[in-house]
Coordinates of all heavy atoms in Angstrom, one line a residue:
M1217 N 0.9 -1.2 0.0 CA 0.0 0.0 0.0 C 0.9 1.2 0.0 O 1.8 1.4 0.8 CB -0.9 0.0 1.2 CG -1.9 1.1 1.3 SD -3.0 1.1 2.7 CE -3.6 -0.6 2.8
N1218 N 0.6 2.2 -0.9 CA 1.5 3.4 -1.0 C 1.1 4.4 0.0 O 0.1 4.3 0.7 CB 1.5 3.9 -2.4 CG 0.1 4.4 -2.8 OD1 -0.7 4.7 -2.0 ND2 -0.1 4.5 -4.1
N1219 N 1.9 5.4 0.2 CA 1.7 6.4 1.2 C 0.4 7.2 1.0 O -0.2 7.6 1.9 CB 2.9 7.4 1.3 CG 4.1 6.7 1.9 OD1 3.9 5.8 2.7 ND2 5.3 7.3 1.6
N1220 N 0.1 7.5 -0.3 CA -1.2 8.2 -0.6 C -2.4 7.5 -0.1 O -3.3 8.1 0.5 CB -1.3 8.5 -2.1 CG -0.3 9.5 -2.6 OD1 0.2 10.4 -1.8 ND2 -0.1 9.5 -3.9
M1221 N -2.4 6.2 -0.3 CA -3.5 5.4 0.2 C -3.6 5.3 1.7 O -4.7 5.4 2.3 CB -3.5 4.0 -0.4 CG -4.7 3.2 -0.2 SD -6.2 4.0 -0.9 CE -6.0 3.8 -2.6
K1222 N -2.4 5.2 2.3 CA -2.4 5.2 3.8 C -2.9 6.5 4.3 O -3.7 6.5 5.3 CB -1.0 5.0 4.3 CG -0.5 3.6 4.2 CD 0.9 3.5 4.7 CE 1.5 2.1 4.5 NZ 2.9 2.0 4.9
F1223 N -2.5 7.6 3.7 CA -3.0 8.9 4.1 C -4.5 9.1 4.0 O -5.2 9.6 4.8 CB -2.3 10.0 3.3 CG -2.6 11.4 3.7 CD1 -2.1 11.9 4.8 CD2 -3.4 12.2 2.9 CE1 -2.4 13.2 5.2 CE2 -3.7 13.5 3.2 CZ -3.2 14.0 4.4
L1224 N -5.0 8.6 2.8 CA -6.5 8.6 2.6 C -7.2 7.8 3.6 O -8.2 8.2 4.2 CB -6.8 8.1 1.2 CG -8.3 8.1 0.8 CD1 -8.8 9.5 0.8 CD2 -8.5 7.4 -0.5
L1225 N -6.7 6.6 3.9 CA -7.4 5.7 4.9 C -7.3 6.3 6.3 O -8.3 6.2 7.1 CB -6.8 4.3 4.8 CG -7.1 3.5 3.6 CD1 -6.4 2.2 3.6 CD2 -8.6 3.4 3.3
I1226 N -6.2 6.9 6.7 CA -6.1 7.5 8.0 C -7.1 8.7 8.1 O -7.8 8.9 9.1 CB -4.7 8.0 8.3 CG1 -3.8 6.8 8.5 CG2 -4.6 8.9 9.5 CD1 -2.3 7.1 8.5
G1227 N -7.2 9.5 7.0 CA -8.1 10.6 7.0 C -9.5 10.1 7.1 O -10.4 10.7 7.8
L1228 N -9.8 9.1 6.4 CA -11.2 8.5 6.4 C -11.5 8.0 7.8 O -12.6 8.2 8.3 CB -11.2 7.3 5.4 CG -12.6 6.8 5.0 CD1 -13.4 7.9 4.4 CD2 -12.4 5.7 4.0
A1229 N -10.6 7.3 8.5 CA -10.8 6.8 9.8 C -11.1 8.0 10.8 O -11.9 7.9 11.6 CB -9.6 6.0 10.3
I1230 N -10.3 9.0 10.7 CA -10.5 10.2 11.5 C -11.8 10.9 11.3 O -12.5 11.2 12.2 CB -9.3 11.2 11.3 CG1 -8.0 10.6 11.9 CG2 -9.6 12.6 12.0 CD1 -6.7 11.4 11.5
A1231 N -12.2 11.0 10.0 CA -13.5 11.6 9.6 C -14.6 10.8 10.2 O -15.6 11.4 10.7 CB -13.6 11.7 8.1
I1232 N -14.6 9.5 10.1 CA -15.7 8.7 10.6 C -15.7 8.7 12.2 O -16.8 8.8 12.7 CB -15.5 7.2 10.1 CG1 -15.8 7.2 8.6 CG2 -16.4 6.3 10.9 CD1 -15.5 5.9 7.9
T1233 N -14.6 8.8 12.8 CA -14.5 8.9 14.3 C -15.2 10.2 14.7 O -16.0 10.2 15.6 CB -13.1 8.8 14.8 OG1 -12.5 7.5 14.4 CG2 -13.0 8.9 16.3
I1234 N -14.8 11.3 14.1 CA -15.4 12.6 14.4 C -16.9 12.6 14.1 O -17.7 13.1 14.9 CB -14.7 13.7 13.7 CG1 -13.2 13.8 14.2 CG2 -15.4 15.0 13.8 CD1 -12.3 14.8 13.4
S1235 N -17.3 12.0 13.0 CA -18.7 11.9 12.6 C -19.6 11.2 13.7 O -20.7 11.6 13.9 CB -18.9 11.2 11.3 OG -18.2 11.9 10.3
V1236 N -19.0 10.1 14.2 CA -19.8 9.4 15.2 C -19.8 10.1 16.5 O -20.9 10.1 17.2 CB -19.1 8.0 15.4 CG1 -19.7 7.2 16.6 CG2 -19.3 7.1 14.1
A1237 N -18.8 10.8 16.9 CA -18.7 11.5 18.2 C -19.5 12.8 18.2 O -20.0 13.3 19.2 CB -17.3 11.7 18.6
A1238 N -19.5 13.5 17.0 CA -20.0 14.9 16.9 C -21.4 15.1 17.5 O -21.7 16.0 18.2 CB -19.9 15.4 15.5
P1239 N -22.4 14.2 17.1 CA -23.8 14.5 17.6 C -23.9 14.4 19.1 O -24.7 15.1 19.7 CB -24.6 13.3 17.0 CG -23.8 12.9 15.8 CD -22.4 13.1 16.1
F1240 N -23.0 13.7 19.8 CA -23.1 13.5 21.2 C -22.3 14.7 21.9 O -22.5 14.9 23.1 CB -22.5 12.2 21.6 CG -23.3 11.0 21.0 CD1 -22.8 10.3 19.9 CD2 -24.5 10.7 21.5 CE1 -23.5 9.3 19.4 CE2 -25.3 9.7 20.9 CZ -24.7 9.0 19.9
L1241 N -21.4 15.3 21.2 CA -20.6 16.4 21.8 C -21.0 17.8 21.4 O -20.6 18.7 22.0 CB -19.1 16.2 21.4 CG -18.4 14.9 21.7 CD1 -17.0 14.8 21.1 CD2 -18.3 14.7 23.2
A1242 N -21.8 17.9 20.4 CA -22.3 19.2 19.9 C -23.2 19.9 20.9 O -24.0 19.3 21.6 CB -23.0 19.0 18.6
S1243 N -23.1 21.2 20.9 CA -23.9 22.0 21.8 C -25.3 22.2 21.1 O -25.4 22.4 19.9 CB -23.3 23.4 22.0 OG -24.2 24.2 22.7
P1244 N -26.4 22.1 21.9 CA -27.7 22.4 21.4 C -27.9 23.9 21.1 O -28.9 24.3 20.5 CB -28.6 21.9 22.4 CG -27.9 21.9 23.7 CD -26.4 21.7 23.3
A1245 N -27.0 24.8 21.6 CA -27.2 26.2 21.5 C -27.0 26.6 20.0 O -26.3 25.9 19.3 CB -26.2 26.9 22.4
P1246 N -27.5 27.7 19.6 CA -27.3 28.1 18.2 C -25.9 28.4 17.9 O -25.1 28.7 18.8 CB -28.1 29.5 18.1 CG -28.9 29.5 19.3 CD -28.4 28.6 20.3
D1247 N -25.5 28.2 16.6 CA -24.1 28.3 16.3 C -23.7 29.8 16.3 O -24.6 30.7 16.5 CB -23.8 27.7 14.9 CG -24.5 28.3 13.8 OD1 -25.1 29.4 13.9 OD2 -24.5 27.7 12.7
G1248 N -22.5 30.1 16.0 CA -22.0 31.5 16.1 C -22.7 32.4 15.1 O -23.0 33.6 15.4
L1249 N -22.9 31.9 13.9 CA -23.6 32.8 12.9 C -25.0 33.1 13.3 O -25.4 34.3 13.2 CB -23.6 32.0 11.5 CG -24.2 32.8 10.4 CD1 -23.4 34.1 10.1 CD2 -24.2 31.9 9.1
E1250 N -25.7 32.2 13.8 CA -27.1 32.4 14.2 C -27.2 33.4 15.4 O -28.0 34.3 15.4 CB -27.8 31.1 14.6 CG -28.2 30.3 13.4 CD -28.9 29.0 13.9 OE1 -29.6 29.0 14.9 OE2 -28.8 28.0 13.1
S1251 N -26.3 33.2 16.4 CA -26.3 34.1 17.6 C -25.8 35.5 17.2 O -26.4 36.5 17.7 CB -25.5 33.5 18.7 OG -24.1 33.4 18.3
S1252 N -24.9 35.6 16.3 CA -24.5 36.9 15.8 C -25.6 37.6 15.1 O -25.8 38.8 15.2 CB -23.2 36.8 14.9 OG -22.1 36.3 15.6
A1253 N -26.3 36.9 14.2 CA -27.4 37.4 13.5 C -28.5 37.9 14.4 O -29.1 39.0 14.2 CB -28.0 36.4 12.5
K1254 N -28.8 37.2 15.5 CA -29.8 37.7 16.5 C -29.3 39.0 17.1 O -30.2 39.8 17.5 CB -30.0 36.6 17.5 CG -30.8 35.5 17.0 CD -31.1 34.4 18.1 CE -31.9 33.3 17.5 NZ -32.2 32.2 18.5
N1255 N -28.0 39.2 17.3 CA -27.6 40.5 17.9 C -27.6 41.6 16.9 O -27.7 42.8 17.3 CB -26.1 40.3 18.4 CG -26.0 39.3 19.6 OD1 -27.0 39.1 20.3 ND2 -24.9 38.7 19.7
V1256 N -27.5 41.4 15.6 CA -27.4 42.4 14.6 C -28.8 42.7 14.0 O -29.1 43.9 13.7 CB -26.4 42.0 13.5 CG1 -26.3 43.0 12.4 CG2 -25.0 41.9 14.2
I1257 N -29.6 41.7 13.7 CA -30.8 41.9 13.0 C -32.0 42.1 14.0 O -32.0 41.4 15.1 CB -31.1 40.7 12.1 CG1 -30.0 40.5 11.1 CG2 -32.4 40.8 11.4 CD1 -30.1 39.3 10.2
E1258 N -32.9 43.0 13.7 CA -34.0 43.2 14.6 C -34.8 41.9 14.7 O -34.9 41.1 13.8 CB -35.0 44.2 14.0 CG -34.4 45.6 13.9 CD -35.4 46.6 13.2 OE1 -36.6 46.3 13.2 OE2 -34.9 47.6 12.7
E1259 N -35.4 41.7 15.9 CA -36.1 40.4 16.2 C -37.2 40.1 15.2 O -37.4 39.0 14.8 CB -36.6 40.4 17.6 CG -37.0 39.0 18.1 CD -37.3 39.0 19.6 OE1 -36.6 39.8 20.4 OE2 -38.2 38.3 20.0
S1260 N -38.0 41.1 14.8 CA -39.1 40.9 13.9 C -38.6 40.4 12.5 O -39.1 39.5 11.9 CB -39.9 42.1 13.7 OG -39.1 43.2 13.2
K1261 N -37.5 41.0 12.1 CA -36.9 40.6 10.8 C -36.3 39.2 10.9 O -36.3 38.4 9.9 CB -35.9 41.6 10.3 CG -36.5 43.0 9.9 CD -35.4 43.9 9.4 CE -36.0 45.3 9.1 NZ -35.0 46.2 8.7
F1262 N -35.6 38.9 12.0 CA -35.0 37.6 12.2 C -36.0 36.5 12.2 O -35.8 35.4 11.6 CB -34.2 37.6 13.5 CG -33.3 36.4 13.6 CD1 -32.1 36.4 12.9 CD2 -33.6 35.4 14.4 CE1 -31.3 35.3 13.0 CE2 -32.8 34.3 14.5 CZ -31.6 34.2 13.8
A1263 N -37.2 36.8 12.8 CA -38.3 35.8 12.8 C -38.7 35.4 11.4 O -39.0 34.3 11.1 CB -39.4 36.2 13.7
V1264 N -38.8 36.5 10.6 CA -39.2 36.3 9.2 C -38.2 35.4 8.4 O -38.5 34.5 7.7 CB -39.4 37.6 8.4 CG1 -39.6 37.4 6.9 CG2 -40.6 38.4 9.0
L1265 N -36.9 35.7 8.7 CA -35.8 34.9 8.0 C -35.8 33.5 8.5 O -35.6 32.6 7.7 CB -34.5 35.5 8.4 CG -34.1 36.8 7.7 CD1 -32.8 37.4 8.3 CD2 -34.0 36.7 6.2
E1266 N -36.1 33.2 9.8 CA -36.1 31.8 10.2 C -37.3 31.0 9.6 O -37.1 29.8 9.4 CB -36.2 31.8 11.8 CG -34.9 32.1 12.5 CD -35.0 31.8 14.0 OE1 -36.1 32.1 14.6 OE2 -34.0 31.4 14.6
E1267 N -38.4 31.7 9.4 CA -39.6 31.0 8.9 C -39.6 30.9 7.4 O -40.3 30.1 6.8 CB -40.8 31.8 9.3 CG -41.0 31.7 10.8 CD -42.2 32.6 11.3 OE1 -42.9 33.1 10.4 OE2 -42.4 32.7 12.5
S1268 N -38.7 31.6 6.6 CA -38.7 31.5 5.2 C -38.1 30.2 4.7 O -37.2 29.6 5.4 CB -37.9 32.7 4.6 OG -36.6 32.7 5.0
E1269 N -38.4 29.8 3.5 CA -37.9 28.6 2.9 C -36.5 28.9 2.4 O -36.2 30.0 1.8 CB -38.8 28.1 1.7 CG -40.1 27.6 2.2 CD -40.0 26.2 2.9 OE1 -39.1 25.4 2.5 OE2 -40.6 26.0 3.9
P1270 N -35.6 27.9 2.5 CA -34.3 28.1 1.9 C -34.3 28.2 0.4 O -35.2 27.6 -0.2 CB -33.5 26.9 2.4 CG -34.5 25.9 2.7 CD -35.7 26.6 3.1
A1271 N -33.3 28.9 -0.2 CA -33.3 29.0 -1.7 C -33.0 27.7 -2.3 O -33.4 27.4 -3.4 CB -32.2 30.1 -2.0
I1272 N -32.2 26.9 -1.6 CA -31.8 25.5 -2.2 C -32.2 24.5 -1.1 O -31.9 24.6 0.0 CB -30.3 25.5 -2.4 CG1 -29.9 26.5 -3.4 CG2 -29.9 24.1 -2.9 CD1 -28.4 26.6 -3.6
Q1273 N -32.8 23.4 -1.6 CA -33.2 22.3 -0.7 C -32.1 21.4 -0.6 O -31.6 20.8 -1.6 CB -34.5 21.6 -1.1 CG -35.7 22.5 -1.1 CD -36.1 22.8 0.3 OE1 -35.9 22.0 1.3 NE2 -36.7 24.0 0.5
F1274 N -31.5 21.1 0.6 CA -30.4 20.2 0.7 C -31.0 18.8 1.2 O -32.0 18.8 1.9 CB -29.4 20.7 1.8 CG -28.7 21.9 1.2 CD1 -29.1 23.2 1.6 CD2 -27.6 21.8 0.4 CE1 -28.4 24.3 1.1 CE2 -26.9 22.9 -0.1 CZ -27.3 24.2 0.2
P1275 N -30.3 17.8 0.8 CA -30.8 16.4 1.2 C -30.8 16.1 2.7 O -31.6 15.4 3.1 CB -29.9 15.5 0.4 CG -28.7 16.3 0.0 CD -29.1 17.7 0.0
M1276 N -29.8 16.7 3.4 CA -29.7 16.5 4.8 C -29.6 17.8 5.6 O -28.5 18.1 6.1 CB -28.6 15.5 5.1 CG -28.8 14.1 4.5 SD -27.4 13.0 4.8 CE -26.3 13.5 3.5
P1277 N -30.6 18.6 5.7 CA -30.5 19.9 6.4 C -30.2 19.7 7.9 O -30.6 18.7 8.5 CB -31.8 20.6 6.1 CG -32.8 19.4 5.9 CD -32.0 18.4 5.3
D1278 N -29.5 20.7 8.4 CA -29.1 20.7 9.8 C -28.4 19.4 10.3 O -28.4 18.9 11.4 CB -30.4 20.8 10.7 CG -31.0 22.2 10.6 OD1 -30.2 23.2 10.3 OD2 -32.2 22.4 10.7
Y1279 N -27.6 18.8 9.3 CA -26.8 17.7 9.6 C -27.5 16.5 10.2 O -27.1 15.9 11.2 CB -25.6 18.1 10.5 CG -24.8 19.2 10.0 CD1 -24.9 20.4 10.6 CD2 -24.0 19.0 8.9 CE1 -24.2 21.5 10.1 CE2 -23.2 20.1 8.4 CZ -23.3 21.3 9.0 OH -22.6 22.4 8.5
S1280 N -28.7 16.2 9.7 CA -29.5 15.1 10.2 C -30.5 14.6 9.2 O -30.7 15.2 8.1 CB -30.4 15.6 11.4 OG -31.3 16.6 11.0
I1281 N -31.0 13.4 9.5 CA -32.0 12.8 8.6 C -33.2 12.7 9.5 O -33.2 12.1 10.5 CB -31.6 11.4 8.1 CG1 -30.3 11.5 7.3 CG2 -32.7 10.7 7.4 CD1 -29.7 10.2 6.9
E1282 N -34.3 13.4 9.0 CA -35.5 13.5 9.8 C -36.1 12.2 10.2 O -36.1 11.2 9.4 CB -36.6 14.3 9.0 CG -37.7 14.7 9.8 CD -38.7 15.6 9.0 OE1 -38.2 16.4 8.2 OE2 -39.9 15.6 9.3
G1283 N -36.4 12.1 11.5 CA -37.0 10.9 12.0 C -36.1 9.8 12.5 O -36.5 8.8 13.0
M1284 N -34.8 10.0 12.4 CA -33.8 9.0 12.8 C -33.1 9.3 14.1 O -32.3 8.5 14.5 CB -32.8 8.7 11.7 CG -33.4 8.0 10.5 SD -32.2 7.7 9.2 CE -31.1 6.5 10.0
G1285 N -33.3 10.5 14.6 CA -32.6 10.8 15.9 C -31.1 11.0 15.7 O -30.6 11.4 14.7
K1286 N -30.4 10.5 16.7 CA -28.9 10.6 16.7 C -28.3 9.8 15.6 O -27.3 10.2 15.0 CB -28.4 10.2 18.1 CG -28.7 11.1 19.2 CD -27.8 12.4 19.1 CE -28.1 13.3 20.3 NZ -27.6 14.7 20.1
S1287 N -28.9 8.6 15.3 CA -28.3 7.8 14.3 C -28.4 8.5 12.9 O -27.5 8.4 12.1 CB -29.0 6.4 14.2 OG -30.4 6.5 14.0
G1288 N -29.5 9.3 12.7 CA -29.6 10.1 11.5 C -28.6 11.1 11.4 O -28.1 11.5 10.3
E1289 N -28.2 11.7 12.5 CA -27.2 12.7 12.6 C -25.8 12.1 12.2 O -25.1 12.6 11.5 CB -27.1 13.4 13.9 CG -28.3 14.3 14.2 CD -28.3 14.9 15.6 OE1 -27.2 15.1 16.2 OE2 -29.4 15.1 16.2
I1290 N -25.6 10.9 12.8 CA -24.3 10.2 12.5 C -24.2 9.9 11.1 O -23.2 10.1 10.4 CB -24.2 9.0 13.4 CG1 -24.0 9.3 14.9 CG2 -23.1 8.1 12.9 CD1 -24.2 8.2 15.8
V1291 N -25.3 9.4 10.5 CA -25.2 9.0 9.0 C -25.0 10.2 8.2 O -24.2 10.2 7.3 CB -26.5 8.3 8.6 CG1 -26.6 8.1 7.1 CG2 -26.6 6.9 9.3
A1292 N -25.7 11.3 8.5 CA -25.6 12.5 7.7 C -24.2 13.1 7.7 O -23.6 13.5 6.7 CB -26.7 13.6 8.1
I1293 N -23.7 13.2 8.9 CA -22.3 13.8 9.1 C -21.3 12.9 8.4 O -20.4 13.4 7.8 CB -22.0 14.0 10.6 CG1 -23.0 15.1 11.1 CG2 -20.6 14.5 10.8 CD1 -22.9 15.3 12.6
T1294 N -21.4 11.6 8.6 CA -20.5 10.6 8.0 C -20.5 10.7 6.5 O -19.5 10.8 5.9 CB -20.8 9.2 8.5 OG1 -20.7 9.1 9.9 CG2 -19.8 8.2 7.9
V1295 N -21.7 10.7 5.9 CA -21.8 10.8 4.5 C -21.2 12.1 3.9 O -20.4 12.1 3.0 CB -23.3 10.6 4.0 CG1 -23.5 11.0 2.6 CG2 -23.8 9.2 4.3
G1296 N -21.5 13.2 4.6 CA -21.0 14.5 4.2 C -19.5 14.5 4.3 O -18.8 15.0 3.4
S1297 N -18.9 14.0 5.4 CA -17.5 14.1 5.7 C -16.7 13.2 4.7 O -15.7 13.6 4.1 CB -17.2 13.6 7.1 OG -17.8 14.5 8.0
V1298 N -17.2 12.0 4.4 CA -16.6 11.1 3.5 C -16.7 11.6 2.1 O -15.7 11.6 1.3 CB -17.2 9.7 3.6 CG1 -16.7 8.8 2.5 CG2 -16.8 9.1 5.0
A1299 N -17.8 12.2 1.7 CA -17.9 12.8 0.4 C -17.0 13.9 0.2 O -16.3 14.0 -0.9 CB -19.4 13.3 0.2
M1300 N -16.8 14.8 1.2 CA -15.9 15.9 1.0 C -14.5 15.5 1.0 O -13.7 16.0 0.2 CB -16.1 16.9 2.1 CG -17.4 17.7 2.1 SD -17.8 18.4 0.4 CE -16.5 19.5 0.3
L1301 N -14.1 14.4 1.8 CA -12.8 13.9 1.8 C -12.4 13.3 0.4 O -11.4 13.5 -0.2 CB -12.6 12.9 2.9 CG -11.2 12.3 3.0 CD1 -10.2 13.3 3.4 CD2 -11.2 11.1 4.0
L1302 N -13.4 12.5 -0.2 CA -13.1 11.9 -1.5 C -13.1 13.0 -2.6 O -12.3 12.9 -3.5 CB -14.2 10.9 -1.8 CG -14.2 9.7 -0.9 CD1 -15.4 8.7 -1.2 CD2 -12.9 8.9 -1.0
I1303 N -13.9 14.0 -2.5 CA -13.9 15.1 -3.5 C -12.5 15.8 -3.4 O -11.9 16.1 -4.5 CB -15.0 16.1 -3.3 CG1 -16.4 15.4 -3.7 CG2 -14.8 17.4 -4.1 CD1 -17.6 16.2 -3.3
A1304 N -12.1 16.1 -2.2 CA -10.8 16.8 -2.1 C -9.6 15.9 -2.6 O -8.7 16.4 -3.3 CB -10.5 17.1 -0.6
Y1305 N -9.7 14.6 -2.3 CA -8.7 13.7 -2.8 C -8.7 13.6 -4.3 O -7.7 13.7 -5.0 CB -9.0 12.3 -2.2 CG -7.9 11.3 -2.6 CD1 -6.7 11.3 -2.0 CD2 -8.2 10.3 -3.6 CE1 -5.7 10.3 -2.3 CE2 -7.2 9.4 -3.9 CZ -6.0 9.4 -3.3 OH -5.0 8.5 -3.7
G1306 N -9.9 13.6 -4.9 CA -10.0 13.6 -6.4 C -9.5 14.8 -7.0 O -8.8 14.8 -8.0
I1307 N -9.8 16.0 -6.4 CA -9.3 17.2 -6.9 C -7.7 17.3 -6.8 O -7.0 17.7 -7.7 CB -9.9 18.4 -6.2 CG1 -11.4 18.6 -6.6 CG2 -9.1 19.7 -6.5 CD1 -12.1 19.6 -5.8
G1308 N -7.2 16.8 -5.7 CA -5.8 16.7 -5.5 C -5.1 15.8 -6.6 O -4.0 16.1 -7.1
K1309 N -5.7 14.6 -6.8 CA -5.2 13.7 -7.8 C -5.2 14.4 -9.2 O -4.3 14.3 -10.0 CB -5.9 12.4 -7.9 CG -5.7 11.5 -6.6 CD -4.3 11.0 -6.6 CE -4.3 9.7 -7.3 NZ -3.0 9.0 -7.1
A1310 N -6.3 15.1 -9.5 CA -6.5 15.7 -10.8 C -5.5 16.8 -11.0 O -4.9 17.1 -12.1 CB -7.9 16.2 -11.0
A1311 N -5.3 17.6 -9.9 CA -4.3 18.7 -10.0 C -2.9 18.3 -10.1 O -2.0 19.0 -10.7 CB -4.5 19.6 -8.8
K1312 N -2.6 17.1 -9.6 CA -1.2 16.5 -9.7 C -0.9 16.1 -11.1 O 0.3 16.1 -11.5 CB -1.1 15.3 -8.7 CG 0.2 14.8 -8.6 CD 0.3 13.7 -7.6 CE 1.6 13.0 -7.5 NZ 1.7 11.9 -6.6
I1313 N -1.8 15.7 -11.9 CA -1.6 15.2 -13.3 C -1.0 16.3 -14.1 O -0.8 17.3 -14.2 CB -2.9 14.7 -13.9 CG1 -3.3 13.4 -13.1 CG2 -2.6 14.3 -15.3 CD1 -4.6 12.9 -13.5

């Protein structure tokens, strides 16, 4: 096994480990962007923004799969992490050529 493959497999193992742990370690409080927006935007306008439909529908919004609880969060985060790792690896291989 060459060094590139070892590097990819180590990255994959780390990504999966973080994906499994993240739902149990994450804070239920709003993230920094949401809390900053609440401080800057008037409350009435912020309520309208929260209730509006997103411009793009994502397959796993809020890093979860509806109705699956914590296991849905683990699957969503794992799929997203692995997909991004493989995309980055593919771009790296393509750029190397």
Side-chain angles (χ1 to χ4, degrees):
M1217 187 180 310
N1218 64 22
N1219 286 337
N1220 287 338
M1221 191 55 73
K1222 285 181 185 176
F1223 184 73
L1224 178 64
L1225 292 176
I1226 290 169
L1228 197 58
I1230 292 170
I1232 290 171
T1233 301
I1234 292 171
S1235 300
V1236 170
F1240 301 101
L1241 301 174
S1243 171
D1247 64 13
L1249 182 61
E1250 287 181 29
S1251 61
S1252 296
K1254 285 182 180 179
N1255 293 335
V1256 175
I1257 300 173
E1258 292 177 25
E1259 193 170 325
S1260 60
K1261 291 180 182 177
F1262 191 76
V1264 171
L1265 286 174
E1266 281 188 325
E1267 294 173 8
S1268 65
E1269 288 292 318
I1272 300 171
Q1273 294 293 329
F1274 291 97
M1276 295 178 276
D1278 293 330
Y1279 306 107
S1280 65
I1281 299 174
E1282 193 172 326
M1284 290 183 64
K1286 290 288 183 192
S1287 61
E1289 292 177 28
I1290 292 170
V1291 170
I1293 295 170
T1294 302
V1295 168
S1297 298
V1298 170
M1300 292 310 298
L1301 183 64
L1302 293 175
I1303 289 168
Y1305 183 77
I1307 290 171
K1309 291 291 270 187
K1312 186 177 176 182
I1313 294 175

